Amino acid sequence: MPVSRDPEVRAVLEEARRVFREEFGSEATLAASAPGRVNLIGEHTDYNDGLVLPMALEMVTVVVGALRSDGLISFVTTSEHADEPRRVEFPAPTAEKPLEPGEPHWANYVKGVIKHYPATSPLPGFNAVVVSSVPLGGGLSSSASLEVATYTFLQQLCPDSGEATARAHVCQQAEHSFAGVPCGIMDQLISLLGQKGHALLIDCRSLETRPVPLSDPGIVVLIANSNVRHALASSEYPIRRSQCESAAKALGKKSLRDVDMDYLEANKARLTKEQYQRARHVVSEIKRTSEAGIALSTSNYKTFGKLMVESHNSLRDDFEVSCPELDQLVELALSEPGVYGSRMTGGGFGGCTVTLLQADIVSKIMQHIQEHYKGTVTFYVSKPANGAKVQPL
């Protein structure tokens, strides 16, 4: 049974330093790390100005590097990105020659951060290596961890004076303008602000955050990667966002955050069937996330688990972003005693589920899922971890 234990930051860092020596023939002098994340509840609410409740993972992306004198920037990744080259090189941007998105696609996340970085002086040339233990395409925010790790690395070359929220906005803007993904701001914020032993309740309108304790040794967060990623994933995300925006407009509101269930039901006739379903998910999910924050802070795991299941059902039926593999993983987890709740996490159409369960039955649950899941599943057990940081070398 393939079980992935989250590598310690140090192990990922040492691998990055080894690759840097191989690629560039010298030692890296600067390093930064940023975690992936799992969203416990609050899916597709961030770009609707809603509430989310993610936690940072022990899985991280590390960037190591060193200055070079010819004004070029060279990035190497050890991750597999289809048939794309692992290395990309381009001139450090200037006002006359700003960076533009292009090939390879993975480098657009890096180039977008460099493009939008609020440098007080021109960025110098440098060599860099990226190594990540965050699985690609698994809904655990490998892209945001790459963006935030890159930003944190750049801070050592040219310090910024921005708040964490401003840094998150830069990374979000990079994903919008260079990767073409109209994501919300949750992933970047939790990668920056994660706290060990805590989930983080984020208000995506005000960007206020509140740590929620999640350090009970009797409780485990189990992530199950379906190892499928349907082609719809990339195309349907912007469609869902557009449907939510059009629903809010039809309801006469700035965003669905301004809608409650009574108002939605009273104005149902103003919406198409799809708009109504999408809005019903978002409005109910924001309420669930608020209730989940209270439940988790009072160690009411039964209520929290119930809300997780309701979230999954809503994502499956109203938002229509689940798939048979995710549904099966949730059903298998919920069929065993000691499991409080389970749901799909991430954008949908593949990726991962997240399950809250008693610590003493983790092996039993993994075995049960492995025996009955129709595909190949990979498991991750993670505690809430800290956010991005500069790593000493």
Side-chain angles (χ1 to χ4, degrees):
M1 176 170 54
V3 178
S4 294
R5 293 280 178 189
D6 307 329
E8 295 291 332
V9 175
R10 181 56 54 181
V12 183
L13 182 61
E14 289 306 315
E15 172 66 7
R17 295 179 72 182
R18 182 190 67 77
V19 175
F20 189 92
R21 285 192 293 269
E22 289 182 356
E23 293 286 339
F24 299 109
S26 60
E27 292 289 338
T29 57
L30 304 168
S33 67
R37 66 96 185 96
V38 65
N39 193 22
L40 301 175
I41 194 168
E43 217 66 72
H44 289 277
T45 54
D46 56 345
Y47 55 81
N48 288 290
D49 288 345
L51 304 176
V52 292
L53 187 61
M55 72 178 215
L57 296 170
E58 293 166 312
M59 292 178 279
V60 296
T61 297
V62 166
V63 176
V64 302
L67 291 170
R68 56 189 290 173
S69 59
D70 59 1
L72 293 177
I73 295 173
S74 183
F75 262 90
V76 175
T77 179
T78 62
S79 298
E80 295 292 335
H81 295 272
D83 297 324
E84 294 186 330
R86 294 174 53 246
R87 187 166 181 161
V88 63
E89 191 168 278
F90 49 89
T94 63
E96 295 76 23
K97 291 186 177 181
L99 290 179
E100 300 290 342
E103 300 293 336
H105 180 71
W106 68 263
N108 286 330
Y109 296 94
V110 169
K111 291 163 74 176
V113 174
I114 295 172
K115 158 78 173 180
H116 297 294
Y117 185 80
T120 55
S121 59
L123 284 170
F126 60 90
N127 295 321
V129 165
V130 178
V131 177
S132 184
S133 59
V134 186
L136 299 179
L140 301 181
S141 204
S142 58
S143 57
S145 68
L146 173 57
E147 293 154 8
V148 173
T150 300
Y151 191 107
T152 308
F153 176 84
L154 294 179
Q155 286 179 290
Q156 299 172 80
L157 301 177
C158 185
D160 72 328
S161 57
E163 299 289 329
T165 52
R167 294 166 184 163
H169 276 302
V170 167
C171 295
Q172 180 194 32
Q173 189 178 9
E175 190 150 346
H176 286 191
S177 62
F178 271 64
V181 180
C183 63
I185 202 165
M186 169 183 68
D187 296 351
Q188 292 81 7
L189 267 179
I190 185 62
S191 189
L192 281 160
L193 297 176
Q195 291 188 29
K196 186 175 182 179
H198 293 79
L200 196 66
L201 184 65
I202 302 172
D203 184 326
C204 295
R205 168 169 284 174
S206 67
L207 300 186
E208 293 176 336
T209 61
R210 179 170 66 84
V212 182
L214 182 55
S215 56
D216 186 336
I219 299 300
V220 161
V221 174
L222 173 67
I223 301 162
N225 192 339
S226 68
N227 287 306
V228 298
R229 182 170 176 80
H230 295 287
L232 286 171
S234 58
S235 61
E236 288 293 321
Y237 184 96
I239 291 174
R240 291 301 183 280
R241 181 163 186 161
S242 177
Q243 289 168 338
C244 291
E245 291 169 350
S246 65
K249 185 177 181 180
L251 292 168
K253 301 294 185 181
K254 182 180 178 181
S255 76
L256 291 176
R257 174 67 180 275
D258 299 316
V259 179
D260 61 25
M261 198 58 72
D262 288 341
Y263 186 88
L264 177 62
E265 294 299 331
N267 291 274
K268 182 178 179 180
R270 298 163 67 176
L271 303 174
T272 66
K273 180 183 177 182
E274 274 192 343
Q275 286 175 329
Y276 170 71
Q277 287 180 298
R278 306 304 186 243
R280 183 168 62 179
H281 164 71
V282 172
V283 172
S284 63
E285 185 80 346
I286 292 172
K287 184 173 184 291
R288 277 189 291 270
T289 305
S290 177
E291 294 172 352
I294 296 170
L296 194 60
S297 64
T298 57
S299 302
N300 189 343
Y301 304 124
K302 183 177 180 180
T303 295
F304 190 90
K306 177 175 177 288
L307 293 165
M308 291 178 76
V309 175
E310 291 175 359
S311 171
H312 180 80
N313 293 342
S314 180
L315 287 159
R316 180 192 64 204
D317 301 334
D318 275 348
F319 221 66
E320 298 182 285
V321 291
S322 189
C323 61
E325 294 88 350
L326 294 175
D327 294 342
Q328 187 189 23
L329 288 173
V330 169
E331 290 167 7
L332 288 171
L334 295 174
S335 67
E336 292 291 308
V339 172
Y340 293 106
S342 185
R343 59 182 288 276
M344 62 153 279
T345 186
F349 303 105
C352 295
T353 62
V354 58
T355 301
L356 188 73
L357 69 163
Q358 295 172 3
D360 58 359
I361 63 164
V362 173
S363 295
K364 179 182 177 183
I365 292 298
M366 290 194 298
Q367 187 67 41
H368 173 71
I369 293 174
Q370 176 68 33
E371 289 175 355
H372 294 91
Y373 178 58
K374 294 179 181 178
T376 301
V377 59
T378 306
F379 296 106
Y380 309 92
V381 177
S382 182
K383 298 175 182 177
N386 287 318
K389 64 182 297 184
V390 170
Q391 294 291 340
L393 293 181

